[in-house]
Amino acid sequence: MNDDRSPRRIKSVGIAFDILKILRNEGGARVTEIAEAINRTPGTTHTYLATMCDKGYVRVEDGEYQVGLFALPLGEYVRANSKLYQVGKPEVDKLARETGEAAHLVVESHGREILLYEQFGPDAVGEDLYARIKGYPRRNLHCSAASKAILAHLDESRRNEILDGYQLVSRTPNTITKEEVLREELEQVRSDGYASNDEEQITGVRAVAAPIVHEETIYGAISLSAPTSRMPQDQFMKTAPEQILDVANVIEVNIQTP
């Protein structure tokens, strides 16, 4: 018997979004590959693709389907209308310019990390890597400095909801892979006001981040990352946190203005 309390879902809409994710993740795919991935016949899959091509969200070239250009203005619209992006972009640009390193503005959605904006200073490393993963919602809440800053300042019920069943995948030998250890660190983050990532996400790269909070609402976080050769342990534990907290405070003040 159907439970009337359960939210209704339209399966075909879900499949269409699954196709978009496949095309994004694979950088393009053919009908048979997509059909296998979504467990549908090639004929049914082609009907989905043809409809999405008509709408401009999928395009095809030499038999290979890719995400269409109509997806671009949709994403740009969402970002441009984000208050955090509006007030945070100038500060991210300034931080990258003054430090010479990589600065990032990060938000959380559906238990995943989304890069809202980033800027690279003249000495920054990892630009190629970030270019490859841009636009991918990632399960990095346990190893990214910015995401740990967000996770620590979420409402407790929301934090527990995310961590329930969350897989703490090891990215490097330094990645936290035990939930109790992560929870202890999140308590320390709330106490210190900032989070760190000591080669937990990428070997050879450290990062520090501060949450953007206004009236007990967590909007996101700003982070600064640099190679260990230019961010030694003493700077990592002293200078960088103070610097990132100052920038976060500026954004918090600006986010209050109408």
Side-chain angles (χ1 to χ4, degrees):
M1 186 172 73
N2 291 334
D3 186 349
D4 291 338
R5 295 171 299 177
S6 300
R8 299 178 63 186
R9 300 289 187 267
I10 300 176
K11 188 176 294 186
S12 59
V13 175
I15 293 174
F17 280 109
D18 287 342
I19 291 173
L20 286 175
K21 286 191 289 186
I22 291 167
L23 297 181
R24 178 199 64 193
N25 293 342
E26 300 299 326
R30 295 184 176 275
V31 172
T32 53
E33 297 168 335
I34 301 168
E36 183 177 355
I38 65 173
N39 195 28
R40 293 294 186 277
T41 66
T44 298
T45 303
H46 184 270
T47 300
Y48 274 100
L49 291 167
T51 303
M52 297 168 76
C53 282
D54 287 346
K55 298 299 182 182
Y57 290 93
V58 168
R59 59 190 178 92
V60 60
E61 184 175 342
D62 296 330
E64 183 176 81
Y65 290 86
Q66 297 180 344
V67 177
L69 291 176
F70 269 40
L72 179 61
L74 188 63
E76 291 294 337
Y77 169 83
V78 174
R79 184 168 71 168
N81 281 273
S82 163
K83 184 64 180 290
L84 178 59
Y85 171 76
Q86 293 169 5
V87 303
K89 180 181 181 299
E91 300 306 322
V92 171
D93 291 341
K94 181 180 178 182
L95 181 63
R97 184 172 61 251
E98 292 181 347
T99 63
E101 307 294 356
H104 316 274
L105 199 59
V106 173
V107 296
E108 175 272 329
S109 180
H110 292 75
R112 301 196 181 195
E113 172 189 278
I114 294 180
L115 184 62
L116 187 64
Y117 180 69
E118 65 184 346
Q119 187 58 267
F120 295 90
D123 300 321
V125 298
E127 188 168 357
D128 291 341
L129 170 64
Y130 286 110
R132 290 197 301 271
I133 63 179
K134 181 182 291 187
Y136 289 76
R138 294 168 290 169
R139 290 193 178 277
N140 284 339
L141 300 186
H142 63 299
C143 59
S144 156
S147 288
K148 285 194 285 186
I150 295 172
L151 193 58
H153 289 81
L154 286 173
D155 177 84
E156 184 177 4
S157 62
R158 172 64 179 147
R159 181 166 55 251
N160 290 336
E161 179 185 356
I162 290 175
L163 292 179
D164 183 25
Y166 187 93
Q167 293 184 342
L168 279 68
V169 178
S170 178
R171 306 293 188 196
T172 75
N174 288 3
T175 305
I176 296 174
T177 55
K178 294 183 178 180
E179 184 177 326
E180 60 270 24
V181 176
L182 176 62
R183 287 186 179 274
E184 289 176 2
E185 179 162 335
L186 295 179
E187 289 183 9
Q188 189 64 48
V189 170
R190 287 192 291 274
S191 175
D192 295 339
Y194 67 90
S196 61
N197 158 16
D198 194 0
E199 299 187 80
E200 298 167 46
Q201 186 178 2
I202 303 172
T203 300
V205 176
R206 289 189 173 113
V208 63
I212 310 298
V213 183
H214 174 54
E215 295 182 348
E216 300 184 356
T217 297
I218 176 74
Y219 284 82
I222 184 169
S223 70
L224 178 69
S225 62
T228 54
S229 60
R230 289 203 299 270
M231 191 183 278
Q233 192 68 21
D234 57 345
Q235 179 186 1
F236 181 56
M237 297 306 296
K238 296 179 182 179
T239 309
E242 182 177 324
Q243 187 175 32
I244 204 72
L245 284 168
D246 287 343
V247 178
N249 287 334
V250 172
I251 297 176
E252 288 172 10
V253 170
N254 291 338
I255 215 167
Q256 300 176 43
T257 58

